[in-house]
Structure formats: structure tokens, C-alpha cells
């Protein structure tokens, strides 16, 4: 060994590098997030790291590794227009989460992860359209309730299973009315509903105010009647006295009544004694 | 030769001692395989590449704002109205191993799950609940829903809470909503005015009735005298302040100095203004 190193330093250097390469290639490090399909000349043979991450073994040069993500991944659908059974449109944004559970199958059927995604996207879109299209508009707003999303998931999962993937869930991210007339119509409806509400609030307020006033009038009348009714004749006199004062003198010093000339006849009750004929 | 030795030594020291700050965890992998988790403090491992340590902050609560004040984020409510909503998700990492190894894009996932959960919850409540009193309930339901979904992904993420920053009617219909508020205030002021009127009227009636009752009590004791007394008192108050004319004999046509009367009247009116 040392003879070789001394006599042929360049060659032995190459051999050392080659040996190092063989060792690292033979014992690939597989992290927790990845798994690898071992491919022998284009033919998939086995999987590394599906259950155990860490150092694994492969035959260098004869076996290639195709890395496949083990984590939960997302596939996003393009915005889709869905037509409900009552002919109303809704724009839907959805995503599905999946995990590759059978990397071997996935490698054979799809090749790599990107191709799996491109295979899933159109199916996700069409399944969403199909399932949601069988619902009335009101049910579209919360498809989770009707189990519609579970149906989509099951159908998508059936397709994904062929590619060695499992769909964990399908969810709707956004559900909007399309721009233009459907949304404007909704705005109009909201606006008119508010205007109606405003009017009815005003009317209700006016009604309650009127009732309060009427009740107060009635209460006042009752109080007066209970008191004054004890002696209507005296009330007549008592009130007349008050009325004279108000009429001739006013009860507001800033706003005196119009000037009054009183012409008294000697027959007047007030001057009864003045004329001396009282007795 | 010794230089290589120093580099090797430094590398050994730096890759095998790990200072894990408070609130952090160090996730240790042995040749890529999860081995154990270091708590806060100084931890020792084999040097890289045998052991590798990823430090993850588990205590710091992160905030993820969704929707903004400048652009409208419109959502459909259960009664098919539209609201503009903005909210913040507060979350932290509960389980650093799951967070590192289970989800491909954890942050993106949290955002999408939040949007989906918020949409789902808003679609079950009415417009009035969403912009009014139902907020707390919505926040709780979204938090719960997000946590359930993220647990199903084994994401290792804990949702600390959702805060709805804004839930308003969209700009296009805001004017109509303001009208409702104005109408509510108007209606309230109608009622307030009526209440004031009512109070005033009742007090006045009570006061007058009480006054009458008091006088009537006295009157009952000596009706005729009291009546005369009140009459003269009233006259004494009125007559001194007004011009009087007394016509003595019957059959005499009184001469009324009309210009004088008319002269006085405007003066008094002028004085009043």
C-alpha cells in the first residue's frame, strides 16, 4: 500500500478519491423528511427510508436514488367557476393536502413529484365542479356541512391511490361571487335591505315616541281629573283666577302680553262696594 | 500541518456544543434520523455530519396577518351577504419534531388553513353576527377548526388564537349601513324627546293637581270667604298693572281715546323685543 503511494502518487490519489466516493454513495444519509426509490438501470427495485431514516445501503453505480418527499404536501387548484343547481355562479379556490405513501407506485406511475401534482390538479378541479354543481347555491356556501368536501376527497383519493398518494383533505379556501353582475346584484340586495331596515327603525322609533306622548297625555288627564273632579265648581273659579293672571300679566317677564285696557262698568262685581250699593 | 489540526479542533468544538436559548428546542438528528431534542441550555452532540442540530423557537408567538385595511378581503356570509374581513392568526410551535418533519410548507399551510377555516365559519353565520356581536364566537370557532385540521396534518403547530381586526360591510354598500346607524340614532332621539315631554307633562300635572288639592283643602273649611279672598287678591294683582276706565252712569257713551290706546300697544310690543 505504502509502496504504491510512494511509486505512483497520482494514481493512488485517484484511487483514494474513488474509494471515498464509493463509500459515501453506498451509504446514503436519508433525512426524516425524505424517502428514496432505488432504481436499478431504470427499473425501480425497493424503497429506502420509508420507515427508518438514517444511514442506508445501496450498491453504488448500479443503483440510482430518486428522492421523494415524505411530508404532507399541498396541491392548489386554479380558481374555478361553479354553477349551482339553481343556476348561480360561484368562484371557488380549493386546495388538497396529500402525502406520498407508496413511493414505488408513485415513481412507476408518475415519475416525479411535479408530474404527480400536474396529474392531480385537473382532477381536483373537475371533482370540485362536479360535486358542487349538484348542490343548490345556499349549500355551496358551506359545503363542509353537507359532506360534499368529503365526497371530493374520496373521489380524488381514488385517483391519487393509483399514484401511491393519499389525500388527507380537500378544503375550500375561497368562495366568492364572480365580479360583475352577480356581485353587484348582491351589493344591491344588501343596500336595499339596509335602506328598508333604516326606514323600519325610524318608523318604529316614531311609533314608540307617539305612544309615549299619548300615554303621558292620558296620565296627565287622569291626574287632573282625579284632583279637579273633587269640586268642579271650585275648579272653574280657581282656574279662572289663574287664567286672568296669565292673560293680563303673563307668566313670562320677557314676553309680556299685549297691552290691555279694562273698561269697568259700575255694575261689575268688583266695584260692587265702590259704588256704595253693596249693602 | 498544525493549521489543519486547529481547523479540525475548532470544527469539532463548534459543531458539537450547542447553546439552546430559553424558549428554544434543539432537534438532533443522527445521520438524518431523528435522535432526540435538546432543551434550553448548553447541549453536547457528536460533531457534524454525524449529529445535526436544528434550533426551533417554541415559545415565541408568531402573528400572521390576513386581509388588510387597504385591500378588501370579501367573504360570503350564511345569509348570502358579503363582508370585508381582516384578521390575525397567532400561533406557536408546540412540537418541533413534527413541525420540522411532517409538513412541506408549514407557514403556507397555516395561512391556507386559516383562510379555509375562516371562510367555513363565516359561511355559517349571518351578516349581523359577523359584523356585530358574533365576533368572539367566530374567533373561537375558527381557532378550534384550525387546530383540528392542523392536528390532522400532525403539524406540531398550536393555534393560540384568532383576532378579527376588522369585519365591515364592503365599501360599495357602506353608505347604506351608515344610514341604518343614523336611523337608529334618529329613532332614539324621537324616543328621548317623547320621554322628556312625558316627564315634563306628568310633573306639571302632578304639580298643578297638588297645588289645587292644597288650596281646595283650605277652601273646604270656609268656601265663601276663601273664594272672595282669592278673587280680590287676583284682581289686586291684575288691575294695578293695566289701564282702567270706569264708566259711571249707564247710558253714557264712553269716549275711548283710541289713538292713545293704539300708541301704547306698539310701545309695549317694542319694549318686549
Amino acid at each position: 500500500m505504502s509502496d504504491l503511494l510512494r511509486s505512483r502518487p497520482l494514481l493512488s490519489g485517484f484511487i483514494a478519491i474513488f474509494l471515498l466516493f464509493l463509500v459515501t454513495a453506498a451509504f446514503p444519509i436519508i433525512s426524516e423528511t425524505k424517502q428514496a426509490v432505488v432504481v436499478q438501470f431504470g427499473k425501480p427495485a425497493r424503497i429506502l427510508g420509508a420507515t427508518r431514516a438514517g444511514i442506508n445501503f445501496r450498491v453504488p453505480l448500479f443503483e440510482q436514488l430518486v428522492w421523494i418527499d415524505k411530508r404532507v404536501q399541498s396541491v392548489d387548484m386554479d380558481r374555478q367557476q361553479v354553477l349551482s343547481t339553481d343556476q348561480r355562479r360561484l368562484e371557488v379556490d380549493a386546495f388538497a393536502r396529500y402525502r406520498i405513501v407508496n413511493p414505488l407506485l408513485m415513481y412507476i406511475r408518475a415519475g416525479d413529484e411535479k408530474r404527480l401534482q400536474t396529474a392531480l390538479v385537473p382532477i381536483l378541479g373537475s371533482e370540485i365542479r362536479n360535486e358542487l354543481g349538484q348542490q343548490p347555491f345556499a349549500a355551496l356556501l358551506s359545503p363542509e356541512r353537507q359532506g360534499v368536501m368529503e365526497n371530493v376527497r374520496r373521489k380524488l383519493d381514488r385517483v391519487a391511490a393509483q399514484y401511491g398518494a393519499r389525500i388527507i383533505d380537500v378544503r375550500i379556501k375561497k368562495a366568492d361571487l364572480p365580479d360583475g353582475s352577480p356581485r353587484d346584484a348582491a351589493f344591491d340586495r344588501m343596500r336595499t335591505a339596509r335602506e328598508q331596515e333604516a326606514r323600519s327603525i325610524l318608523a318604529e322609533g316614531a311609533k314608540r315616541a307617539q305612544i309615549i306622548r299619548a300615554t303621558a297625555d292620558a296620565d296627565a288627564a287622569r291626574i287632573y281629573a282625579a284632583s279637579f273632579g273633587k269640586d268642579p265648581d271650585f275648579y272653574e273659579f280657581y282656574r279662572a283666577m289663574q287664567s286672568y293672571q296669565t292673560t293680563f300679566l303673563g307668566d313670562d317677564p320677557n314676553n309680556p302680553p299685549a297691552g290691555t285696557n279694562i273698561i269697568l262698568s259700575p255694575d261689575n262685581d268688583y266695584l260692587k262696594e265702590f259704588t256704595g250699593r253693596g249693602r | 500541518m498544525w493549521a489543519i489540526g486547529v481547523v479540525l479542533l475548532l470544527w469539532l468544538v463548534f459543531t458539537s456544543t450547542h447553546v439552546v436559548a430559553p424558549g428554544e428546542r434543539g432537534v438532533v438528528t443522527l445521520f438524518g434520523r431523528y435522535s432526540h431534542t435538546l432543551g434550553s441550555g448548553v447541549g453536547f452532540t457528536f460533531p457534524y455530519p454525524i449529529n445535526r442540530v436544528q434550533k426551533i423557537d417554541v415559545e415565541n408567538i408568531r402573528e400572521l396577518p390576513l386581509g388588510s385595511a387597504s385591500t378588501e378581503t370579501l367573504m360570503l356570509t350564511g345569509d348570502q351577504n358579503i363582508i370585508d374581513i381582516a384578521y390575525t392568526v397567532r400561533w406557536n410551535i408546540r412540537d418541533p419534531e413534527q413541525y420540522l418533519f411532517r409538513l412541506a410548507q408549514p407557514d403556507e399551510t397555516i395561512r391556507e388553513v386559516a383562510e379555509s377555516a375562516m371562510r367555513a365559519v363565516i359561511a355559517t353565520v349571518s351578516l349581523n353576527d359577523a359584523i356585530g356581536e358574533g365576533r368572539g364566537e367566530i374567533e373561537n370557532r375558527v381557532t378550534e377548526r384550525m387546530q383540528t385540521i392542523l392536528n390532522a396534518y400532525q403539524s406540531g403547530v398550536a393555534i393560540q388564537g384568532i383576532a378579527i381586526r376588522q369585519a365591515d360591510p364592503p365599501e360599495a354598500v357602506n353608505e347604506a349601513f351608515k344610514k341604518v346607524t343614523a336611523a337608529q340614532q334618529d329613532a332614539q332621539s324621537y324616543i328621548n324627546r317623547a320621554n322628556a315631554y312625558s316627564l315634563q307633562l306628568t310633573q306639571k300635572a302632578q304639580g298643578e293637581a297638588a297645588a289645587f288639592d292644597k288650596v281646595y283643602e283650605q277652601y273646604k273649611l270656609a268656601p265663601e270667604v276663601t273664594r272672595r279672598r282669592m278673587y280680590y287678591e287676583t284682581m289686586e294683582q291684575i288691575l294695578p298693572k293695566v289701564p282702567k276706565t270706569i264708566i259711571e252712569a249707564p247710558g253714557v257713551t264712553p269716549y275711548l281715546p283710541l289713538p292713545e290706546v293704539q300708541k301704547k300697544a306698539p310701545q309695549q310690543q317694542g319694549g318686549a323685543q
Side-chain angles (χ1 to χ4, degrees):
Chain A
M1 191 73 186
S2 55
D3 296 340
L4 187 69
L5 195 68
R6 220 163 291 136
S7 57
R8 308 288 289 274
L10 198 66
L11 180 66
S12 52
F14 275 126
I15 289 170
I17 288 168
F18 181 67
L19 282 177
L20 195 69
F21 163 75
L22 275 190
V23 168
T24 51
F27 300 100
I29 291 175
I30 295 180
S31 79
E32 287 281 353
T33 60
K34 291 242 156 66
Q35 48 198 342
V37 178
V38 178
V39 183
Q40 297 172 336
F41 302 114
K43 192 170 138 279
R46 59 203 163 88
I47 304 159
L48 295 182
T51 52
R52 264 185 76 92
I55 293 184
N56 280 268
F57 175 75
R58 65 153 163 180
V59 182
L61 302 178
F62 293 97
E63 291 183 331
Q64 280 81 47
L65 294 183
V66 175
W67 296 99
I68 287 168
D69 208 319
K70 214 159 63 169
R71 296 174 294 182
V72 175
Q73 294 174 76
S74 152
V75 46
D76 278 287
M77 184 191 79
D78 292 334
R79 194 156 252 252
Q80 297 274 342
Q81 233 182 44
V82 174
L83 191 64
S84 68
T85 49
D86 44 357
Q87 303 300 308
R88 293 178 63 186
R89 283 172 197 286
L90 195 67
E91 270 185 358
V92 174
D93 244 345
F95 66 86
R97 302 265 153 194
Y98 68 95
R99 222 149 54 84
I100 295 164
V101 289
N102 188 344
L104 211 58
L105 200 58
M106 184 263 167
Y107 175 75
I108 297 168
R109 294 271 165 82
D112 58 28
E113 291 170 36
K114 213 165 215 143
R115 294 240 285 277
L116 173 64
Q117 289 233 357
T118 50
L120 286 180
V121 166
I123 298 161
L124 175 61
S126 67
E127 287 304 338
I128 291 240
R129 263 202 317 273
N130 283 348
E131 282 293 328
L132 296 187
Q134 294 166 17
Q135 303 290 329
F137 187 79
L140 283 191
L141 293 181
S142 50
E144 291 86 358
R145 269 194 193 160
Q146 275 73 24
V148 176
M149 298 322 288
E150 179 54 27
N151 284 349
V152 175
R153 191 200 69 81
R154 213 178 305 123
K155 286 189 174 167
L156 190 63
D157 194 42
R158 212 170 294 154
V159 178
Q162 299 169 8
Y163 294 100
R166 184 189 296 144
I167 306 293
I168 298 170
D169 61 358
V170 177
R171 295 193 182 273
I172 291 191
K173 200 162 56 170
K174 278 180 193 149
D176 292 327
L177 293 170
D179 278 337
S181 63
R183 185 178 291 178
D184 291 345
F187 282 159
D188 266 351
R189 188 165 45 76
M190 287 175 80
R191 208 175 287 128
T192 48
R194 290 306 117 180
E195 275 159 10
Q196 188 188 338
E197 191 187 341
R199 285 211 188 108
S200 85
I201 286 170
L202 273 184
E204 168 76 21
K207 185 186 94 183
R208 279 177 58 192
Q210 211 162 13
I211 290 172
I212 290 168
R213 278 169 200 270
T215 312
D217 286 340
D219 279 353
R222 187 173 46 73
I223 292 167
Y224 283 132
S227 184
F228 301 157
K230 280 184 267 188
D231 189 339
D233 179 51
F234 177 62
Y235 173 69
E236 171 72 38
F237 167 75
Y238 174 80
R239 189 68 185 82
M241 291 303 116
Q242 281 184 341
S243 185
Y244 294 156
Q245 287 207 12
T246 311
T247 311
F248 296 120
L249 301 177
D251 45 11
D252 184 359
N254 295 323
N255 189 18
T260 312
N261 279 280
I262 293 184
I263 297 161
L264 293 167
S265 154
D267 294 338
N268 189 290
D269 208 26
Y270 182 69
L271 296 174
K272 191 170 66 183
E273 306 297 334
F274 190 66
T275 52
R277 347 172 223 108
R279 272 169 216 274
Chain B
M1 202 57 200
W2 61 268
I4 295 171
V6 167
V7 169
L8 214 65
L9 197 68
L10 279 177
W11 167 71
L12 265 176
V13 168
F14 275 107
T15 59
S16 59
T17 28
H18 305 279
V19 181
V20 181
E24 277 188 348
R25 299 283 180 275
V27 179
V28 184
T29 48
L30 174 68
F31 289 121
R33 179 180 164 75
Y34 170 68
S35 150
H36 62 283
T37 304
L38 296 175
S40 313
V42 180
F44 300 97
T45 61
F46 290 110
Y48 185 84
I50 301 168
N51 274 158
R52 195 169 158 234
V53 176
Q54 279 170 284
K55 289 177 198 164
I56 296 282
D57 190 336
V58 291
E59 257 168 33
N60 188 18
I61 291 177
R62 292 138 219 245
E63 295 202 340
L64 173 69
L66 288 163
S68 70
S70 53
T71 56
E72 287 194 320
T73 312
L74 300 180
M75 268 184 205
L76 274 164
T77 60
D79 48 3
Q80 300 183 22
N81 288 311
I82 299 170
I83 59 162
D84 175 18
I85 194 163
Y87 52 101
T88 304
V89 181
R90 289 166 50 248
W91 61 278
N92 69 343
I93 295 165
R94 187 185 52 202
D95 191 330
E97 302 92 59
Q98 286 192 345
Y99 180 78
L100 278 178
F101 303 139
R102 294 302 174 110
L103 273 183
Q105 303 115 348
D107 296 17
E108 173 71 11
T109 302
I110 292 165
R111 204 175 62 77
E112 284 187 333
V113 168
E115 281 178 340
S116 158
M118 181 58 85
R119 185 208 56 77
V121 171
I122 291 290
T124 62
V125 300
S126 72
L127 173 76
N128 286 338
D129 281 347
I131 62 177
E133 286 144 21
R135 276 195 195 191
E137 158 99 22
I138 292 169
E139 289 171 347
N140 289 342
R141 280 173 61 193
V142 173
T143 307
E144 211 172 285
R145 201 182 181 97
M146 282 190 71
Q147 192 63 66
T148 311
I149 298 171
L150 289 169
N151 286 351
Y153 297 157
Q154 297 182 307
S155 61
V157 168
I159 300 297
Q160 297 297 335
I162 306 283
I164 296 179
R165 281 177 284 135
Q166 160 200 348
D168 294 331
E171 194 61 44
V173 295
N174 211 4
E175 207 54 39
F177 277 79
K178 280 185 192 152
K179 270 188 206 159
V180 174
T181 318
Q184 277 163 347
Q185 282 165 358
D186 283 353
Q188 192 55 50
S189 70
Y190 289 169
I191 291 166
N192 289 347
R193 277 203 291 272
N195 277 331
Y197 169 82
S198 161
L199 195 68
Q200 202 184 5
L201 194 68
T202 318
Q203 298 288 354
K204 185 166 169 254
Q206 281 168 350
E208 285 179 4
F212 179 80
D213 286 348
K214 289 266 180 249
V215 174
Y216 182 64
E217 251 171 55
Q218 299 309 312
Y219 167 78
K220 258 197 315 191
L221 298 177
E224 197 50 42
V225 175
T226 310
R227 197 179 178 117
R228 291 314 297 172
R229 179 182 58 78
M230 286 174 71
Y231 176 73
Y232 285 119
E233 277 174 6
T234 308
M235 287 305 140
E236 275 165 12
Q237 278 173 23
I238 296 166
L239 293 177
K241 293 178 184 161
V242 293
K244 299 165 284 289
T245 312
I246 299 174
I247 298 155
E248 183 80 50
V252 174
T253 312
Y255 165 68
L256 264 181
L258 275 175
E260 211 171 301
V261 171
Q262 279 166 348
K263 203 170 63 194
K264 271 191 178 165
Q267 264 179 2
Q268 265 185 341
Q269 273 171 2
Q273 275 162 4

